Amino acid sequence: MAVCVICEFNPFHNGHKYLLKKAKELAQEPVAAIMSGSFTQRGDAAICDKFTRADAALQNGADLVLELPAVYSCANAERFAKAGVEIAKSFDCINYLAFGCETDDIDLLNNAVNSLQNTDVQAHIKNDMKNGGYYPRAAENAVRTVTDADTANVLSSPNNILAVEYLKNLTGSNIIPLPIKRIGTAHDSSVPNGNIASASYIRNLLRNGESAKNYMPLSVTDITFPENLERIILYKLRSMSPADFAELPDVSEGLENRIFTAVNKYNSVKEITDYIKTKRYTHARIRRIITCALLGITEQLQNTPIEYVRVLGFTPAGAELLKHCGKHIVTSSVKGLCIKDNTEKLLKKDIFASDVISLAYEMPKNRGADFTTPVVKHPFVTSQRELSEQTN
């Protein structure tokens, strides 16, 4: 009855429009998008607010947009994928999980999943990690050594790595994986291909004051600048002790001491990040750690079960999908906070993340956007007949 995508839409561009269109063509069902909110898996502030991105998605093929909680949107690939799939599984109407990757060969992707569970592969990875290796590269090298090059090559792309994590977490469910081969440019490519460009290329255009309208179905003008968060990040980091850093996700093996040294030695986030970086601890991992520090996301909090879905927007078809959800449905932050327990804990971080990102705009915005911004509603009718017509 529905196909799901786990996404960031940062910003929503023509490649994303293609993904949603293709998902509908293949599944012939409405699309539910589970989307990062104010901060992304790269550990960066989103280019624009989550309601604007949800609106763009609803105007270009999505029927329901839900927020991936901030606690998980800036997590590593394993936890990001697990959280997204957990939300998808809470809908008994979701039959497919569609995802963009470099190959649509499901057998090859499943081979990668199985290879990572091979005891010899795990032993190679463990040995490499003992010597200061970086996990994704260690995994790729181990699979290449134990199995074959084709399977190992699957693990060389960030999108494929996420795809493998999705497949791992779909095990035992009735949701069918639906890999969709990416078109146009490679992940993070600095060169566009026709009207398709990478999200990072588009973000650079927008933040440099250049037009990106050729690569996006809807223009975005009100955008964030991460450098505007520089001083509040430095303030937060300088207020923390090594013990505080040790409580953050992905901080282990004494990394907290290295972070503490960097924070006391340097006066910019870039200098701090460059100092902390090693072969094992990449810039992306360090950015996520710093974002978690800023938002107060601990290792313990990142293991909190998700008991709600936060609705950012829907069409009539999307509203029907909500009837099939087994978790608390949050359309109002005020009412959502009244649920208490784990829902209150995670929802508070979503709200706080929105308040923090409001300071990243050229002119700071008011806090409380999660309380004052209404759920995006689109009057699109997506009956089965019209769904078929839209995708032809």
Side-chain angles (χ1 to χ4, degrees):
M1 188 173 168
V3 54
C4 174
V5 296
I6 301 169
C7 53
E8 296 195 304
F9 297 156
N10 184 39
F12 190 92
H13 56 62
N14 291 339
H16 297 136
K17 183 177 181 178
Y18 169 81
L19 173 66
L20 297 186
K21 179 176 184 295
K22 195 69 176 177
K24 278 192 171 180
E25 284 178 353
L26 293 173
Q28 287 294 298
E29 294 178 351
V31 173
I34 301 168
M35 186 187 79
S36 295
S38 299
F39 287 83
T40 69
Q41 208 259 328
R42 301 168 65 96
D44 291 334
I47 188 74
C48 59
D49 74 87
K50 57 195 177 188
F51 293 100
T52 297
R53 285 152 46 227
D55 185 32
L58 290 168
Q59 292 191 52
N60 288 279
D63 292 286
L64 175 65
V65 182
L66 307 171
E67 181 175 7
L68 182 68
V71 166
Y72 296 100
S73 70
C74 51
N76 60 37
E78 182 179 11
R79 290 178 176 177
F80 177 94
K82 182 180 179 180
V85 172
E86 182 183 340
I87 292 173
K89 286 179 178 178
S90 70
F91 286 79
D92 61 19
C93 62
I94 289 181
N95 300 323
Y96 299 94
L97 174 64
F99 46 87
C101 49
E102 310 308 326
T103 176
D104 55 3
D105 187 336
I106 189 64
D107 291 332
L108 191 57
L109 291 167
N110 278 323
N111 285 344
V113 174
N114 294 332
S115 293
L116 290 174
Q117 297 171 342
N118 181 292
T119 54
D120 289 338
V121 168
Q122 291 176 356
H124 276 79
I125 294 173
K126 186 176 181 180
N127 185 61
D128 199 345
M129 296 296 288
K130 280 183 180 178
N131 295 319
Y134 166 51
Y135 178 80
R137 194 169 297 117
E140 180 186 349
N141 291 338
V143 171
R144 192 179 306 278
T145 300
V146 177
T147 58
D148 61 85
D150 286 344
T151 305
N153 289 338
V154 169
L155 300 172
S156 65
S157 158
N159 287 306
N160 286 354
I161 290 171
L162 268 176
V164 167
E165 293 297 335
Y166 294 146
L167 292 177
K168 283 168 55 179
N169 285 285
L170 286 176
T171 302
S173 76
N174 294 321
I175 299 176
I176 301 168
L178 195 62
I180 297 176
K181 190 170 182 178
R182 283 163 44 86
I183 61 170
T185 61
H187 178 81
D188 273 353
S189 172
S190 59
V191 180
N193 184 348
N195 70 342
I196 302 290
S198 68
S200 58
Y201 179 83
I202 295 171
R203 288 194 298 271
N204 286 336
L205 286 180
L206 294 172
R207 285 172 173 153
N208 288 328
E210 301 177 53
S211 173
K213 65 180 182 180
N214 290 338
Y215 313 114
M216 304 171 64
L218 294 172
S219 296
V220 177
T221 55
D222 200 10
I223 63 172
T224 64
F225 295 87
E227 59 268 25
N228 291 337
L229 297 179
E230 178 94 359
R231 292 197 177 188
I232 62 171
I233 291 174
L234 292 174
Y235 166 78
K236 178 63 179 180
L237 295 178
R238 289 182 179 187
S239 71
M240 297 176 69
S241 68
D244 295 326
F245 289 124
E247 293 182 359
L248 301 176
D250 288 336
V251 174
S252 59
E253 301 170 325
L255 181 62
E256 64 271 19
N257 297 313
R258 188 175 180 86
I259 298 172
F260 186 73
T261 298
V263 168
N264 283 280
K265 187 175 182 179
Y266 296 107
N267 300 319
S268 75
V269 173
K270 183 181 185 307
E271 288 175 316
I272 291 170
T273 303
D274 288 344
Y275 178 87
I276 300 169
K277 182 188 179 301
T278 64
K279 184 167 67 171
R280 174 177 293 188
Y281 302 110
T282 63
H283 279 112
R285 180 172 177 176
I286 297 163
R287 283 197 304 268
R288 284 194 293 270
I289 290 170
I290 290 174
T291 295
C292 286
L294 175 64
L295 300 179
I297 297 171
T298 62
E299 173 74 15
Q300 181 180 16
L301 192 57
Q302 212 170 74
N303 283 293
T304 302
I306 302 171
E307 298 172 350
Y308 72 100
V309 295
R310 170 70 186 279
V311 180
L312 298 179
F314 57 84
T315 66
E320 289 297 313
L321 300 181
L322 289 171
K323 297 176 182 178
H324 299 267
C325 181
K327 294 185 183 294
H328 296 295
I329 296 172
V330 175
T331 56
S332 159
S333 292
V334 172
K335 293 180 180 178
L337 291 173
C338 293
I339 298 172
K340 302 297 183 182
D341 298 327
N342 291 335
T343 294
E344 182 185 27
K345 289 179 186 177
L346 296 185
L347 190 57
K348 276 184 173 180
K349 289 302 178 187
D350 296 337
I351 295 166
F352 181 59
S354 293
D355 289 343
V356 171
I357 202 177
S358 71
L359 301 174
Y361 291 87
E362 198 64 39
M363 291 296 294
K365 296 181 178 295
N366 292 338
R367 64 175 302 192
D370 278 39
F371 296 99
T372 59
T373 308
V375 170
V376 182
K377 299 177 184 178
H378 278 280
F380 302 144
V381 178
T382 51
S383 66
Q384 191 64 39
R385 176 181 60 80
E386 289 173 317
L387 188 63
S388 178
E389 290 174 354
Q390 286 178 20
T391 55
N392 290 332

